[in-house]
């Protein structure tokens, strides 16, 4: 398996929260799945398996996907160690990605992004689900963005820092409906948090 | 690289979040457009789908209110629960409300009954609908009286101004409300009630259809009877997916009362497909069904005719023997379904070699039929190229009847009708595909004879239903566990020769043991149609996992309940995954221990024992303790049941929630004692309740305590979580009573019976 991690040049990150100043940030890591799954797994359905690599149909180019075990639990795209290694630098930056699903008719709420470490569990829920076309999502890695710590607590920045400093996994939800379905992930990106205040 | 821009996602105009329409005669319609609803529609965000008003509330001039129930009702109580949420936030009395079932319509977003998702998916939106309506009424009154809205209060469908003593009914304000500024989403969210002020949510409320049901009024799908309706019976091959080669149709057509007889060709896809068969359409269903006995059909049974339960079991044991020791984990492979993959965490084999104690056990649970009391049925009328259908589906879809009728889905109108039990069977709508095909054929044949089209009701017999189900998969589990000198679980192995049975990745005790090996190999060939049964897949998995964990605790010489808590306190091997929260699992175990006599179980008489089990399923946490007595003739009596449930901070309807717990437990009793579908010659052997006996009223425990823990988590559903741990709690109690460890279901085959 070829794992290709691209460290890109500085980019401008526009803060996701209204009223906050634009800040200079750099892209820490970007996975566009152009030639491989880049080490991503599928977790939480019935077993941990490699994500299916699709050379075309992404946004654009390649992407990764998984066919749901209809009787399993909610499944997630699980990030490789190369992603976990960059999370500490991403605090106050942002995590973004594109998702699509094969059908949108039987949705249910669940944690959309989960980051787990010895220091605790961070989770985030977006207010919408992906469509059958590629849908972009982005969330700042800041306590004020609406993250939850250890399931239902509001995190402090220090708790965020401790989890991001030593993460053991980062999961992005791929299943959004009851019944069998297929989900896809593309354009995962982490940006740094060098905010100017 | 170019990326789609999140700023291009369609956003809801805040002023169109709440949809308001004046009615002629002074009434008002209140609805909701919400991004989540839009996202669940066909195209989802980015599709350019038009926003439509989703009308949930009709405010009538006489100050009564009609509230839409959006989801299908199969007995789980959602037709009552979702309108209760709206009514409470609207601040009207429940006695002022009439509930109307919605048709299938994209404007309502997701309309399904499955996965215990109705409450978690709709709780907040239903609150917003009601609160939005209330704020409109307040705004209308404030404008009419020229007072600040902050001086107004509501209740019982009235707006009140304490300062002046004035009151106005919502009905009288409806016309004015149609012209006041519509509150935006932020204002409505800010205006939501404090839950301590709920007057309907959280109160025991009788189901809206209960009176009609107990007085025999026609409320079920089987009762649908449009004028001039004909009745269809449908003969299918006893071997799954067998095909008709020929049939004596001309003889059947000559029989009295028979109007049509024809071969139905396969249509549709997957388990929702109509399979090959012969339809007989008559003036009455009894005439049509009796005519089936005169059918002479030549079938092509296909290769499945060589498959049987005996063969599956033999192959499972052979696979287990070949994999008696753990081979290297297979390379991960994506896209595997029903038999691939697994987990290898740590080094289980090394742990087994150095363990102080190793225990092994083989567990089995059988195929199950859903056995709803109302057999599968649907009614449809094909006319002028369009199909109107009345369906009891849990996942109503226009696609399936359209595929049967050979028309586009947009030419189908679907009415949702209450079903007499779903339990997952009606997640699959093969009967909708069948009636689409049959209704079209009838209309076409009648048109050729110069006759007008008529509706047709398709009704399966009990034998049809049990013989052509989407069965709960059977499960074979070959366990091995290693304990250290202190009794700690240090290695866990589960080999699963799979007949479509799956083990969730977050299934306890995985996540609490350093060395775990769970792997599955497919039994092949395997062509039995399988599907979801209430609480998939833990309805079977809970029995084997909580049974074997009980064995581990006993082998360790520990209290089985405390042993589970100790494991939950010690995440290991990467810890739990997905949505499994060990603190909540621990919470229900501690609660059920504290509410029961668990700590005094040593004082029970000989032949009486207590069993415990818990399960995380469909976002809910449930633990049972069961006290059972077993006599020398293996007659089992369940004396007492304690149940602790954590489904979040709010129980919408405690009455229905208790019913769901009781129902889940009683269904679990059926799983334990008598329910089993076996396969022979590619078809189901058991075809009616005489071979598949459910629990009887006299066998149901009468001492049954339920406690709902109110934890600070979002509300989730209860239709499914209550069933799975009932099974191992009972089998563990039987072990405690007589020392017989139950590893195979049903236990009726082992000589047991209910006392």
């Amino acid at each position: 398996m070829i794992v290709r991690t691209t460290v890109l040049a500085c980019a401008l990150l526009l803060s996701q929260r209204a009223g906050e100043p634009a800040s200079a940030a750099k892209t820490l890591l970007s996975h566009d799945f152009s030639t491989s799954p880049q080490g991503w797994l599928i977790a939480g359905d019935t077993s941990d398996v490699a994500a299916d690599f699709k050379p075309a149909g992404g946004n654009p180019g390649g992407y990764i996907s998984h066919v749901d075990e209809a009787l399993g639990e909610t499944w997630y795209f699980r990030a490789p160690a190369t992603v976990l290694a960059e999370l500490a630098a991403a605090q106050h930056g942002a995590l973004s990605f594109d998702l699509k699903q094969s059908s949108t008719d039987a949705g249910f709420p669940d944690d959309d992004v989960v980051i787990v470490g010895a220091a605790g569990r961070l989770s985030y829920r977006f207010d919408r689900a992906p469509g059958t076309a590629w849908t972009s999502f982005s969330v700042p890695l800041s306590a004020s963005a609406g993250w939850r710590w250890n399931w239902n607590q509001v995190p402090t920045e220090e708790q965020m820092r401790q989890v991001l400093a030593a993460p053991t996994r980062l999961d992005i939800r791929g299943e959004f409906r009851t019944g069998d379905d297929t989900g896809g992930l593309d354009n995962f990106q982490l940006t740094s948090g060098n905010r100017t205040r | 690289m170019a990326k789609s821009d999140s700023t291009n996602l369609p956003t809801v105009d805040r002023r169109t979040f709440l949809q308001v329409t004046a009615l002629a005669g002074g009434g008002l319609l209140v609805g909701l457009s919400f991004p989540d609803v839009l996202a669940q529609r066909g195209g989802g965000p980015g599709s350019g789908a038009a926003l439509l008003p989703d009308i949930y509330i009709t405010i009538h001039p006489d100050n009564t209110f009609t509230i839409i129930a959006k989801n299908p009702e199969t007995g789980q109580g959602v037709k009552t629960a979702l309108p209760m949420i709206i009514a409470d936030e609207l601040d009207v009395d429940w006695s002022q409300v009439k509930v109307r079932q919605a048709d299938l319509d994209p404007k309502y977003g997701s309309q399904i009954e499955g996965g215990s998702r109705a409450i978690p998916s709709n709780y907040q939106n239903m609150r917003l609908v009601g609160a939005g309506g209330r704020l409109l009424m307040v705004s209308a009154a404030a404008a009419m009286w020229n007072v600040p809205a902050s001086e107004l209060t509501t209740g019982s469908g009235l707006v009140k101004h304490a300062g002046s003593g004035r009151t106005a009914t919502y009905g009288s304000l409806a016309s004015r409300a149609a012209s006041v500024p519509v509150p935006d989403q932020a204002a409505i969210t800010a205006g939501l009630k404090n839950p301590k002020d709920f007057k309907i949510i959280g109160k025991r409320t009788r189901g809206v259809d209960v009176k009609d049901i107990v007085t025999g009024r026609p409320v079920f799908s089987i009762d649908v009877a449009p004028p001039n309706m004909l009745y269809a019976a449908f003969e299918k091959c006893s071997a799954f997916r067998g095909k008709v080669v020929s049939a004596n149709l001309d003889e059947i057509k000559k029989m009295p009362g028979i109007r049509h007889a024809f071969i139905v060709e396969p249509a549709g896809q997957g388990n929702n497909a109509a399979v090959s068969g012969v339809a007989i359409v008559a003036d009455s269903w009894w005439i049509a069904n009796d005519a089936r006995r005169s059918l002479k059909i030549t079938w092509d049974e296909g290769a499945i005719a060589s498959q049987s339960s005996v063969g599956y079991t033999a192959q499972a044991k052979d696979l287990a023997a070949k994999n008696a020791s753990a081979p290297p984990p297979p390379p991960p492979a994506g896209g595997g379904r029903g038999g691939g993959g697994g987990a290898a965490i740590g080094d289980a084999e090394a742990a087994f070699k150095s363990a102080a104690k190793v225990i092994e056990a083989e567990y089995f649970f059988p195929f199950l039929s859903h056995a709803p009391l109302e057999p599968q049925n649907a009614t449809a009328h094909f006319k002028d190229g369009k199909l109107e259908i009345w369906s009891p589906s849990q996942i109503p879809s226009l696609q399936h009847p359209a595929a049967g009728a050979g028309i586009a889905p947009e030419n189908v109108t679907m009415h949702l009708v209450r079903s007499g039990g779903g339990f997952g069977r009606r997640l699959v709508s093969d009967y909708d595909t069948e009636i689409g095909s049959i209704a079209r054929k009838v209309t076409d044949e009648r048109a050729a004879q110069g006759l007008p089209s008529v509706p047709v009701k398709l009704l399966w017999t009990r034998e049809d239903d049990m013989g052509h189900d989407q069965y709960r998969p059977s499960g074979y589990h070959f366990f091995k566990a290693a304990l250290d000198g202190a009794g700690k679980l240090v290695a866990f192995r589960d080999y699963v020769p799979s007949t479509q049975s799956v083990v969730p990745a977050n299934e306890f005790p995985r996540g609490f043991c350093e060395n775990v090996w769970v792997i599955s190999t497919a039994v092949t060939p395997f062509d039995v149609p399988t599907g979801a049964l209430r609480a998939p897949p833990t309805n079977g998995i809970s029995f084997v996992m909580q049974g074997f964990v009980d064995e581990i605790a006993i082998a360790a010489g520990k209290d089985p309940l405390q042993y589970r808590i100790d494991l939950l306190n010690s995440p290991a091997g990467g810890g739990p995954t997905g949505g499994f929260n060990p603190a909540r699992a621990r919470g229900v175990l501690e609660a059920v221990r504290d509410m029961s006599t668990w700590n005094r179980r040593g004082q029970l008489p000989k032949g009486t024992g207590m069993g415990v089990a818990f399960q995380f399923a469909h976002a809910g946490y449930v633990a049972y303790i069961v006290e059972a007595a077993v006599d020398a003739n293996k007659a089992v009596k369940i004396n007492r049941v304690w149940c602790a449930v954590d489904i979040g901070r709010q129980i919408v309807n405690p009455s229905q929630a208790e019913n769901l717990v009781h129902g889940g437990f009683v269904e679990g009793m059926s799983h334990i004692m008598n329910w089993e579908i076996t396969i022979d010659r590619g078809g189901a052997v058991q075809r009616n309740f005489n071979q598949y006996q459910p629990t009887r009223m006299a066998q149901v425990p009468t001492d049954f305590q339920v406690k709902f823990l109110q934890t600070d988590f979002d509300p989730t559903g209860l239709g499914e979580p209550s069933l799975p741990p009932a099974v191992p709690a009972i089998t563990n109690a039987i072990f405690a009573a007589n020392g017989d460890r139950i590893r195979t279901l049903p236990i009726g085959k082992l000589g047991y019976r209910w006392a």
Side-chain angles (χ1 to χ4, degrees), chain A residues 46-47 69 71, chain B residues 307 311-320 323 336-342 363-365 367 472-478 494-504 518-528 530 537 541:
Chain A
T46 59
S47 58
E69 292 269 14
L71 300 183
Chain B
Q307 296 180 31
Y312 300 143
T313 299
Q315 191 183 159
K317 290 183 178 294
D318 186 51
L319 286 168
N323 293 279
R337 297 173 67 83
Y363 276 71
F364 169 75
F365 55 83
F367 295 105
R472 191 280 298 274
S474 61
Y476 304 90
H477 291 257
F478 295 82
D494 182 11
Y495 178 72
V496 189
S498 174
T499 49
Q500 301 294 329
S501 177
V502 298
V503 182
V518 179
I519 199 158
S520 179
T521 308
V523 169
T524 59
F526 179 80
D527 298 302
V528 176
T530 60
I541 296 298

Side-chain angles (χ1 to χ4, degrees), chain B residues 197-517:
Chain B
D197 296 325
F198 286 157
K199 299 170 183 170
I200 299 172
I201 298 171
K203 302 295 185 296
R204 302 178 72 88
T205 303
R206 188 171 66 191
V208 294
D209 287 336
V210 166
K211 185 177 179 182
D212 284 346
I213 290 171
V214 299
T215 55
R217 293 182 60 81
V219 300
F220 295 104
S221 177
I222 202 171
D223 300 317
V224 170
N228 305 313
M229 183 177 76
L230 296 178
Y231 297 83
F234 189 40
E235 180 78 10
K236 292 182 276 197
C237 184
S238 60
F240 303 122
R241 303 185 186 92
K243 295 179 180 176
V244 179
V245 176
S246 63
N248 60 333
L249 299 177
D250 290 338
E251 290 179 38
I252 299 298
K253 289 177 184 174
K254 292 174 184 174
M255 296 175 70
I258 302 298
R259 299 299 187 95
H260 307 266
F262 47 84
I263 293 172
V264 173
E265 299 294 343
Q269 294 185 330
N271 283 359
N272 287 298
V275 300
S276 175
V278 173
I280 302 174
V281 181
D283 292 332
S284 85
W285 182 80
W286 296 103
I287 292 173
N289 197 55
D290 283 350
R292 293 171 68 178
R293 288 184 291 188
S294 301
L295 274 171
K296 296 171 185 171
I297 302 175
T298 301
W299 297 102
D300 174 5
E301 293 184 328
I304 195 174
S306 65
Q307 296 180 31
S308 69
S309 291
V310 172
Y312 300 143
T313 299
Q315 191 183 159
K317 290 183 178 294
D318 186 51
L319 286 168
K322 290 175 180 173
N323 293 279
S325 61
R337 297 173 67 83
I345 301 165
D347 188 344
E349 284 307 291
F352 284 127
K353 289 174 183 171
S354 61
K357 183 180 283 188
V358 173
I359 62 172
E360 297 185 69
E362 298 179 15
Y363 276 71
F364 169 75
F365 55 83
F367 295 105
L368 292 184
S369 173
H370 299 77
L373 276 182
E374 180 189 32
Q376 307 316 310
N377 67 89
T379 303
H381 188 183
F382 185 81
K383 182 180 181 182
D384 300 330
K386 297 180 183 297
L387 189 80
E388 183 177 17
I389 181 170
W390 292 259
S391 168
S393 175
Q394 291 181 241
I395 302 185
S397 166
L398 306 180
Q399 303 280 345
H400 310 317
I407 58 177
E410 54 264 33
N411 290 324
V412 177
T413 298
M414 179 175 281
H415 307 291
L416 308 187
V417 192
R418 183 181 183 114
S419 69
F423 313 111
R425 174 57 182 89
R426 296 181 222 266
L427 294 170
V428 171
S429 306
D430 42 352
Y431 44 85
D432 281 354
T433 313
E434 291 173 359
I435 190 58
S437 177
I438 292 167
R440 169 144 196 190
K441 181 74 171 178
V442 167
T443 293
D444 288 349
E445 287 192 356
R446 290 175 63 86
Q449 300 167 24
L451 297 171
S453 65
V454 293
V456 183
K457 175 191 289 294
L458 169 67
L459 174 60
W460 295 15
T461 63
R462 178 75 57 207
E463 288 79 5
D464 295 333
D465 203 3
M466 215 168 276
H468 296 279
D469 205 337
Q470 323 285 327
Y471 303 93
R472 191 280 298 274
S474 61
Y476 304 90
H477 291 257
F478 295 82
F479 287 117
K480 188 175 181 181
L483 308 179
D484 67 14
K488 180 185 177 185
L489 178 65
V490 294
F492 182 86
R493 177 185 188 273
D494 182 11
Y495 178 72
V496 189
S498 174
T499 49
Q500 301 294 329
S501 177
V502 298
V503 182
N506 56 12
E507 189 64 36
F508 181 84
R510 184 174 163 185
F512 303 92
C513 179
E514 290 289 352
N515 304 290
V516 173
W517 190 82

Side-chain angles (χ1 to χ4, degrees), chain A residues 30-109:
Chain A
S30 177
H31 285 174
D32 61 9
F33 309 111
S34 58
T35 59
S36 79
Q38 299 190 258
W40 286 72
L41 297 175
I42 303 300
D45 199 352
T46 59
S47 58
D48 294 349
V49 297
D52 278 345
F53 168 63
K54 304 290 185 185
N59 192 27
Y63 71 104
I64 58 174
S65 74
H66 178 64
V67 180
D68 176 39
E69 292 269 14
L71 300 183
E73 283 289 337
T74 306
W75 62 265
Y76 288 77
F77 295 100
R78 175 159 294 175
T82 49
V83 172
L84 302 183
E86 297 292 343
L87 281 175
Q91 188 174 12
H92 302 301
L95 181 158
S96 60
F97 50 84
D98 298 345
L99 290 172
K100 71 172 182 179
Q101 56 176 333
S102 57
S103 180
T104 59
D105 63 346
F108 62 88

Side-chain angles (χ1 to χ4, degrees), chain A residues 32 41 44-52 59-60 66-74 76 78 96-98 104-109 121 125 127-136 151-152 169 177-178 180 186-187 189, chain B residues 1-4 6 9 36 39-45 110 112 114-115 117 120-121 332-338 340-342 473 500 502-506 510 531-532 536-537 574 576-581 618 712-714:
Chain A
D32 61 9
L41 297 175
D45 199 352
T46 59
S47 58
D48 294 349
V49 297
D52 278 345
N59 192 27
H66 178 64
V67 180
D68 176 39
E69 292 269 14
L71 300 183
E73 283 289 337
T74 306
Y76 288 77
R78 175 159 294 175
S96 60
F97 50 84
D98 298 345
T104 59
D105 63 346
F108 62 88
R121 178 186 192 272
R125 296 187 178 196
D127 63 1
R128 65 191 196 282
T132 53
W134 287 107
T135 309
S136 293
W151 303 94
N152 60 348
R169 63 173 180 262
R177 71 180 292 273
T178 298
D180 57 350
D186 200 3
N187 297 324
Q189 185 168 286
Chain B
M1 75 172 34
K3 295 177 61 176
S4 63
S6 61
L9 293 173
D36 285 350
Q40 291 167 358
R41 292 180 185 150
S110 176
I112 73 160
R117 309 288 198 199
S121 298
R337 297 173 67 83
Q500 301 294 329
V502 298
V503 182
N506 56 12
R510 184 174 163 185
T577 62
F580 182 75
N581 183 343
H618 298 269
D712 190 22
F713 293 91
D714 292 338

Side-chain angles (χ1 to χ4, degrees), chain A residues 146-161:
Chain A
W147 290 86
R148 292 283 160 179
W149 183 74
N150 281 357
W151 303 94
N152 60 348
Q153 308 298 312
V154 176
T156 65
E157 289 295 350
E158 176 58 18
Q159 288 165 334
M160 291 282 293
R161 187 195 67 76

